[in-house]
């Protein structure tokens, strides 16, 4: 028992070292970003005739209530060359009718490009006006399938995937496109910051006032997102080893995604899998590339507030993570893939996939050791304190980095709540997440494989 | 185990306390600064607005914070102002000593200060900034160098052009986007100066940028150089084809047709050539586009179909002929879609 607890202790230390390293890298990266970014650079890029056009891909499944506002706010974004492509994924709630009514759509003929396979298209619609909007009505096939259809029909060199219920800040697209303007030959993907919109005042697809959420679950996720985006993702991006570009907001070179084969429809973690595959494809081809995290442009998204939705989300995320690691297992510890193969993927396997098992077993074994008299009460409490403090430290790192970022949204009230929830996160929330993530693994094993995924959309 | 755990926990607890203190201190500063700026910003904007609507005297600027706020507001305004209002605001900034400050900060030790100074000079760009900008070409930082180079291209005299061209060539691999902005500025002000960048002796990255800029700015005088570019690598050929289409050079139609039909070239270069044929509108090349419909590459087929549709009834007739001959269902789809558009 004690030997196992030493192993768990070693795991905590390894975790702390890797994540502290990421925090340091993130701090350096944020500093570098702050030194490069300026309003003048952004304005100049926006006015340049060399700015690449962007297709904003909006997969929509039963989004009738909010789709019109979402599309309207996307069409009004500050970017000179934009086309919005809504992919209606077999909605049954009148999403298409709502779009037709609001944007005065008419059926148009468009040949189906054979780049990426997807479920059959039932019709294509465009507004009678000159709005840069295209609506693809297709049979239900899930989010990945819809994005593939969007990639096929879009005509712009860059494609941005956005969830139908997400809200982009006015200049988010421009800021995310900047790395493509600065280094068009090597930039494959840029990712932006995701923030939780629960609690904010929203009107017609725009954030009017930012407030922290009142729901406890949503607030825990605010703390999680701060840590994940400011600390971890920025850190990985600093060594060109960013593995996750959220499906809610990511900008891709369209030809690169098509060349890599588009989104896989047989995994629930299609966004993670695509980014890993892009790393793999470009490394295999020995072509220089970069996948950039831009810590400033913000996409607001609604976080699940009810336990059953959060549970479903976490199970899906964890399953997607495991599926991707299985698909790309050859990259693990393979020097050909440099930082991705040698550091980022092993860290993902160790801390994200095996981490919940090790942590949970640590709680069980330490309790058993206490009951069996092999561990003193002081030792047991120290063990729990260790588990609590390492999580708290990481979250504080994320908060500190946000304060040092280009556009801090700091207030005393937010800090008080964030500190409170950072503490509370280690006293129950994290343990709950561990259980749900393990359920994701169990789901994967029980369903005997990841090839036969149910296709029910992604509302 | 207990002692090791105790030491680790104590270390982590100390780190937590230190980090929390740091966050409180930093957040305090951020909140104070934001509150301070919230008061100064509108006041500075009001001062500038009063100055611009005709109050002739120089607005009073008290402390360093007010100076910074006024500069920030002025730089924002300069981005949108043109003509005499812009000239007056630049003159005001000179009178208040900002130009002098930017020139002196361009040689500062800190990179961030030099970058900011370069941006300030860029906003106040005029002949008076040329000597400082020329000195900035030798800066250690690529962004400072490229900002100075771009502004020199915008405001410098003809004698400065060789320096600008050399600077863009030197940094094109490190900062391709910034080099593109320089070439764009050069093309707008000194179109003839792009000639040496379009020849085969130029680094391919810079040549590709110059070719794109020529097309975007529709610089007809460089069409012969674009025509030569059609025989170069696929990337350069694609850019040249696109440029010739944007310029609408009828003399390039046959060469574009050859490129479009060349199966050894990349689909993107061939598709650009087909698109350019549609833009140029030379009906003599309809037979080329009709042949392209039968090709196996979708981007080329689609571009050819769109190009034929742009060529009016004879083009549409050719497209329908090709569709009738073809066994590929996608060709019929292309013809139907082109017919609707």
């Amino acid at each position: 028992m004690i030997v196992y607890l030493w192993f768990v202790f070693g795991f905590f230390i390894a975790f702390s070292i890797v994540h502290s390293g990421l925090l340091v890298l993130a701090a350096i990266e944020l500093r570098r970003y702050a030194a490069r970014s300026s309003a003048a650079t952004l304005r100049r890029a926006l006015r340049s005739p060399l700015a690449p056009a962007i297709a904003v891909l909006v997969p929509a499944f039963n989004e009738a209530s909010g789709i019109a506002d979402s599309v309207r706010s996307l069409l009004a974004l500050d970017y000179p060359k934009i086309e919005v492509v809504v992919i209606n994924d077999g909605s049954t709630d009148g999403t298409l009718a709502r779009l037709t009514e609001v944007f005065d759509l008419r059926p148009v003929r468009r040949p189906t490009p054979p780049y990426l396979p997807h479920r059959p298209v039932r019709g294509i619609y465009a507004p009678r006006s000159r709005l840069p909007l295209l609506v693809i009505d297709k049979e239900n096939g899930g989010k990945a399938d819809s994005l593939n259809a969007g990639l096929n029909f879009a005509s712009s060199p860059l494609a941005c995937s956005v969830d139908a219920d997400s809200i982009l800040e006015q200049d988010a697209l421009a800021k995310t496109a900047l790395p493509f303007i600065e280094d068009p030959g090597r930039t494959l993907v840029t990712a932006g910051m995701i923030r939780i919109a629960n609690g904010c005042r929203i009107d017609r697809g725009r954030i009017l006032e930012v407030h922290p959420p009142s729901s406890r679950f949503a607030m825990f996720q605010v703390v999680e997102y701060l840590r994940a985006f400011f600390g971890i993702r920025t850190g990985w991006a600093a060594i060109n080893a960013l593995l996750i570009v959220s499906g809610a907001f990511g900008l891709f070179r369209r030809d690169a995604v098509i060349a890599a084969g588009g989104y896989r429809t047989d995994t629930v973690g299609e966004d993670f899998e695509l980014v890993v595959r892009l790393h793999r494809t470009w490394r295999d081809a020995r072509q220089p590339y970069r996948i950039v995290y831009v810590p400033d442009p913000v996409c607001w998204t609604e976080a699940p507030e009810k336990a059953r939705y959060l549970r479903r989300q976490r199970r899906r995320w964890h399953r997607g993570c495991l599926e991707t690691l299985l698909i790309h297992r050859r990259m693990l510890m393979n020097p050909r893939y440099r930082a991705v193969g040698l550091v980022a993927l092993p860290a993902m396997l160790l801390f994200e996939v095996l981490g919940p098992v090790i942590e949970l077993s640590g709680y069980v074994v330490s309790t058993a050791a206490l009951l069996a008299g092999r561990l003193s009460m002081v030792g047991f409490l120290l063990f729990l304190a260790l588990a609590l403090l390492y999580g708290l430290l990481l979250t504080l790192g994320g908060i500190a980095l946000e304060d040092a970022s280009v556009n801090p949204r700091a207030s005393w009230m937010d800090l008080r709540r964030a500190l409170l929830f950072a503490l509370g996160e280690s006293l129950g929330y994290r343990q709950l997440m561990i259980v749900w993530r393990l359920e994701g693994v169990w789901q994967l094993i029980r369903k005997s494989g990841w090839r036969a995924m149910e296709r029910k959309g992604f509302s | 185990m207990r002692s090791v755990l105790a030491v680790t926990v104590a270390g982590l607890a100390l780190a937590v306390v230190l980090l929390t203190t740091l966050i409180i201190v930093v957040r305090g500063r951020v909140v104070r600064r934001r509150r301070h700026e919230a008061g100064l910003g509108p006041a500075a904007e009001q001062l500038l607005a009063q100055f611009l609507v005709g109050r002739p005297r120089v607005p009073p600027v008290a402390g360093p914070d007010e100076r910074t706020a006024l500069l920030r507001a002025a730089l924002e305004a300069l981005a949108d102002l043109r003509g005499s209002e812009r000239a007056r605001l630049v003159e005001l900034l000179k009178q208040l000593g900002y130009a002098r400050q930017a020139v002196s900060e361009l040689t500062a030790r800190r990179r961030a200060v030099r970058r900011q100074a370069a941006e300030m000079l860029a906003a106040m760009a005029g002949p008076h900034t040329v000597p400082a900008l020329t000195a900035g070409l030798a800066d250690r930082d690529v962004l400072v160098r490229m900002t100075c180079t771009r502004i020199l291209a915008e405001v410098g005299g003809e004698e400065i052009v060789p320096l600008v061209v050399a600077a863009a060539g030197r940094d094109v691999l490190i900062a391709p986007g910034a080099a593109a902005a320089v070439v764009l500025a050069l093309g707008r002000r000194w179109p003839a100066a792009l000639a040496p960048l379009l020849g085969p002796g130029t680094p391919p990255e810079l040549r590709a940028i110059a070719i794109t800029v020529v097309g975007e700015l529709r610089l007809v005088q460089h069409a012969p150089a674009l025509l030569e570019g059609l025989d170069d690598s696929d990337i350069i050929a694609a850019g040249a084809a696109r440029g010739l289409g944007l310029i609408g050079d009828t003399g390039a139609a046959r060469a574009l047709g050859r490129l479009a039909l060349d199966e050894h070239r990349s689909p993107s270069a061939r598709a650009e050539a087909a698109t350019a044929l549609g833009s140029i509108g030379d009906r003599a090349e309809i037979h080329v586009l009709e042949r392209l419909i039968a090709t196996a590459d979708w981007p080329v087929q689609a571009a050819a179909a769109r190009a034929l549709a742009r060529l009016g009834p004879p083009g549409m007739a050719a497209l329908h002929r090709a569709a009738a001959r073809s066994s590929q269902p996608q060709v019929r789809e292309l013809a139907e879609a082109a017919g609707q558009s």
Side-chain angles (χ1 to χ4, degrees), chain A residues 157-221:
Chain A
L158 302 182
C160 178
S161 63
V162 176
D163 282 351
D165 55 356
S166 296
I167 298 168
L168 294 188
E169 283 191 350
Q170 201 60 25
D171 56 3
L173 214 50
K175 284 176 176 171
T176 322
L178 210 49
F180 286 99
I181 297 170
E182 286 172 345
D183 194 352
R186 285 183 302 169
T187 311
L188 291 187
V189 186
T190 56
M193 170 88 190
I194 311 278
R195 281 179 183 266
I196 307 278
N198 306 46
C200 297
R201 200 158 76 80
I202 301 169
D203 185 35
R204 290 172 206 186
R206 300 234 175 156
I207 298 279
L208 299 181
E209 284 171 26
V210 178
H211 297 294
S214 53
S215 147
R216 251 177 275 165
F217 270 132
M219 195 58 212
F220 279 129
Q221 289 170 81

Side-chain angles (χ1 to χ4, degrees), chain B residues 21-106:
Chain B
T21 314
L22 180 76
I23 290 169
I24 290 170
V25 170
V26 170
R27 190 157 294 210
R29 282 175 60 181
V30 170
V31 170
R32 261 201 313 278
R33 192 187 69 207
R34 196 184 286 173
R35 211 173 288 158
H36 191 57
E37 282 175 0
L40 291 177
E45 282 166 17
Q46 201 178 349
L47 269 179
L48 287 181
Q50 284 171 352
F51 174 79
L52 287 172
V53 294
R55 184 178 286 184
R57 69 185 180 85
V58 176
V61 186
D65 287 347
E66 282 80 358
R67 255 186 87 78
T68 309
L70 186 76
L71 176 65
R72 200 170 292 160
L75 292 179
E76 277 292 315
L78 279 174
D80 297 316
L81 288 177
R82 296 284 175 275
S84 63
E85 280 185 328
R86 186 175 198 286
R88 284 185 61 213
L89 191 49
V90 169
E91 194 51 41
L92 172 72
L93 292 176
K94 274 160 67 181
Q95 281 181 39
L96 290 171
Y98 288 108
R100 221 172 26 251
Q101 179 191 334
V103 168
S104 110
E105 284 179 355
L106 200 56

Side-chain angles (χ1 to χ4, degrees), chain A residues 44 47 109 112 182 403 408, chain B residues 27 34 150 177 333 340:
Chain A
R44 205 167 40 246
R47 287 178 184 171
R109 281 187 179 277
T112 308
E182 286 172 345
D403 279 359
Chain B
R27 190 157 294 210
R34 196 184 286 173
R150 180 175 51 79
E333 268 189 63
Q340 192 194 43

Side-chain angles (χ1 to χ4, degrees), chain A residues 32-349:
Chain A
R32 206 185 295 165
Y33 176 74
R36 288 181 77 90
S37 66
S38 73
T41 313
L42 193 66
R43 218 173 357 236
R44 205 167 40 246
L46 286 180
R47 287 178 184 171
S48 168
L50 306 178
I54 297 178
V56 182
L57 310 181
V58 191
F61 176 72
N62 288 348
E63 302 278 357
S65 58
I67 191 72
D69 282 345
S70 287
V71 171
R72 234 185 252 122
S73 78
L74 290 171
L75 286 167
L77 288 176
D78 284 342
Y79 196 76
K81 301 171 194 169
I82 194 171
E83 60 168 331
V84 175
V85 181
V86 179
I87 309 102
N88 179 39
D89 190 37
S91 299
T92 51
D93 69 340
T95 299
L96 181 63
R98 177 80 184 128
L99 284 167
T100 306
E101 179 198 332
V102 174
F103 296 101
D104 191 18
L105 300 180
R106 67 186 166 97
V108 291
R109 281 187 179 277
R110 289 277 197 284
T112 308
Y115 301 126
L116 300 169
H118 53 77
R119 303 277 292 159
V121 170
R122 299 190 291 215
I124 300 173
Y125 303 84
R128 282 177 218 282
S129 64
R130 295 181 68 86
L131 275 179
L133 171 65
L134 192 70
V135 177
I136 299 159
D137 180 35
K138 60 180 270 294
E139 289 177 9
N140 180 258
K143 184 176 177 180
D145 189 70
S146 301
L147 286 169
N148 284 340
L151 285 164
N152 265 355
F153 283 95
S155 56
S156 306
L158 302 182
C160 178
S161 63
V162 176
D163 282 351
D165 55 356
S166 296
I167 298 168
L168 294 188
E169 283 191 350
Q170 201 60 25
D171 56 3
L173 214 50
K175 284 176 176 171
T176 322
L178 210 49
F180 286 99
I181 297 170
E182 286 172 345
D183 194 352
R186 285 183 302 169
T187 311
L188 291 187
V189 186
T190 56
M193 170 88 190
I194 311 278
R195 281 179 183 266
I196 307 278
N198 306 46
C200 297
R201 200 158 76 80
I202 301 169
D203 185 35
R204 290 172 206 186
R206 300 234 175 156
I207 298 279
L208 299 181
E209 284 171 26
V210 178
H211 297 294
S214 53
S215 147
R216 251 177 275 165
F217 270 132
M219 195 58 212
F220 279 129
Q221 289 170 81
V222 168
V223 170
E224 268 187 320
Y225 276 43
L226 268 182
R227 186 176 56 221
F229 283 91
F230 277 110
I232 298 171
R233 293 194 190 179
T234 314
W236 286 127
I239 53 169
N240 201 21
L242 181 65
L243 296 179
I244 303 177
V245 172
S246 169
F249 182 36
L251 186 59
F252 295 81
R253 218 172 80 192
R254 192 170 138 259
D255 66 341
V257 179
I258 289 173
Y263 287 88
R264 278 181 80 127
T265 51
D266 58 357
T267 168
V268 287
E270 71 282 339
D271 39 8
F272 175 31
E273 195 282 326
L274 175 65
V275 177
V276 176
R277 185 148 36 89
L278 286 171
H279 276 294
R280 186 175 185 168
T281 311
W282 257 252
R283 283 269 178 236
D284 282 343
R286 296 182 192 280
Q287 292 288 321
Y289 73 98
R290 41 184 220 147
I291 292 179
V292 184
Y293 178 70
V294 194
D296 189 17
V298 173
C299 168
W300 296 87
T301 188
E302 198 179 343
E305 291 188 346
K306 288 188 176 159
R308 74 167 181 276
Y309 296 128
L310 184 60
R311 180 184 182 193
R312 194 192 294 170
Q313 183 196 58
R314 294 311 156 102
R315 275 158 45 170
R316 198 179 67 231
W317 282 3
H318 202 66
R319 205 168 117 191
C321 176
L322 199 53
E323 281 169 3
T324 302
L325 286 171
L326 282 171
I327 293 167
H328 298 287
R329 58 190 175 278
R330 284 191 174 184
M331 291 176 76
L332 275 164
M333 300 310 293
N334 189 335
R336 170 194 275 246
Y337 302 105
R338 307 236 179 126
V340 176
L342 295 175
V343 193
L345 281 172
M348 183 68 83
L349 176 68

Side-chain angles (χ1 to χ4, degrees), chain B residues 178-246:
Chain B
V182 169
V183 176
L184 189 66
L186 203 61
R188 280 185 173 138
R189 190 134 187 272
W190 307 103
L194 293 189
L197 301 181
L198 297 165
T202 309
E205 296 79 9
L206 192 59
R207 192 168 171 221
I209 290 171
I211 281 176
T212 307
V213 166
V214 164
E216 287 295 336
L217 299 181
R218 277 87 165 155
L219 302 176
V220 184
Q221 66 269 46
H222 293 307
L226 297 192
L227 209 53
E228 271 181 46
L230 294 180
D231 296 325
D232 213 292
S233 67
D234 284 339
I235 292 177
I236 290 191
R242 188 165 183 276
L244 287 166
L246 289 169

